[in-house]
Amino acid sequence: MIIRKLYKFENAHIVRNCTSRRCSRSIHGHSYKVEVKLSSNYLDNGGMVYDFGLMKLSIKEIIDSFDHAITIWNKDDKEYIKYAKKFSERWIELPVNPSAEQFSRVFFLIIDRILECMEFKNGEREIKLHSIIVHETDTGYAECFREDAYNFDGMGEIRLEDIVFSDRIKEEWSDKRLWERILKKEKLSPPSEV
């Protein structure tokens, strides 16, 4: 069975080296929609694949980190990176160009790690991340599956350690060490009540 949770955020970026001049040479924004699809052949004690309430925690907080932020490619022009960070409190630096395709891979890798770290407490079993869909516009989206997320030869390597969240973003997390804990593969325990 597959379940889906939809998230929304507003974000600005430049996608260097793309065909469209507007896209590759001008900061612009999108109203993104992200669909997180989880699957399992089992139901928990509540008759669910995974309680949607649990997704309000680390998964929602990570995706919400991109809201009203600028996403920067760490290989972009150094002067641009410096000024983007200087004039925006909320920024994320990625090791890949921030296209919809790469956003979907980044979210897949992060959420896959979150699920790997999650300490399940209600009989959840074999929960897997099925896919991530990132809608950049109403008419265009990219969908990432496991083979895409981990296709470092064909689509470029994404190391979670190379993703940097601004201090302002980290200050807004309920767990200020969230990213550090994800990187270290520490257990993430859901609260007893959501």
Side-chain angles (χ1 to χ4, degrees):
M1 179 172 288
I2 296 172
I3 63 170
R4 166 197 172 265
K5 183 74 174 164
L6 177 69
Y7 300 93
K8 298 177 182 180
F9 66 91
E10 308 292 327
N11 190 273
H13 66 174
I14 294 178
V15 181
R16 300 293 186 192
N17 306 320
C18 69
T19 306
S20 167
R21 184 176 175 94
R22 284 183 179 183
C23 182
S24 67
R25 304 239 178 123
S26 298
I27 298 172
H28 60 284
H30 297 282
S31 295
Y32 287 93
K33 293 179 189 164
V34 177
E35 295 182 50
V36 176
K37 294 183 176 183
L38 303 179
S39 68
S40 179
N41 291 322
Y42 301 93
L43 299 179
D44 68 8
N45 296 332
M48 304 175 195
V49 168
Y50 190 69
D51 189 329
F52 286 130
L54 296 176
M55 295 177 79
K56 292 178 183 175
L57 306 171
S58 44
I59 292 173
K60 181 184 185 310
E61 282 195 308
I62 287 293
I63 293 173
D64 190 57
S65 298
F66 288 79
D67 188 44
H68 287 79
I70 185 167
T71 304
I72 307 160
W73 181 27
N74 68 4
K75 291 183 177 45
D76 207 322
D77 179 270
K78 298 303 176 205
E79 189 173 356
Y80 167 71
I81 292 172
K82 176 183 169 186
Y83 282 99
K85 290 179 178 181
K86 179 179 178 180
F87 292 104
S88 180
E89 282 188 324
R90 295 178 55 81
W91 53 264
I92 300 103
E93 189 174 278
L94 299 179
V96 290
N97 213 358
S99 63
E101 291 84 349
Q102 294 290 32
F103 265 139
S104 68
R105 293 181 69 226
V106 165
F107 287 132
F108 193 101
L109 292 168
I110 293 172
I111 294 168
D112 198 38
R113 174 70 63 85
I114 288 170
L115 289 173
E116 181 183 332
C117 296
M118 189 59 63
E119 186 176 5
F120 299 114
K121 296 183 176 182
N122 196 35
E124 301 93 345
R125 292 195 301 168
E126 297 182 27
I127 297 169
K128 294 182 178 61
L129 182 53
H130 176 268
S131 66
I132 297 286
I133 299 175
V134 173
H135 298 261
E136 193 171 78
T137 65
D138 286 341
T139 60
Y141 70 81
E143 184 168 10
C144 178
F145 297 93
R146 183 166 302 280
E147 58 269 21
D148 305 316
Y150 293 96
N151 181 359
F152 297 154
D153 292 333
M155 296 189 183
E157 183 175 11
I158 299 173
R159 291 174 7 100
L160 294 182
E161 296 78 12
D162 294 334
I163 298 171
V164 181
F165 293 91
S166 71
D167 288 339
R168 180 65 188 142
I169 289 172
K170 291 188 279 190
E171 288 168 10
E172 295 177 8
W173 292 337
S174 59
D175 177 354
K176 308 301 183 239
R177 292 186 55 244
L178 177 61
W179 188 238
E180 179 185 340
R181 293 178 69 212
I182 290 168
L183 292 178
K184 290 182 176 181
K185 298 183 181 181
E186 292 179 10
K187 283 292 181 197
L188 300 172
S189 297
S192 55
E193 286 190 33
V194 182

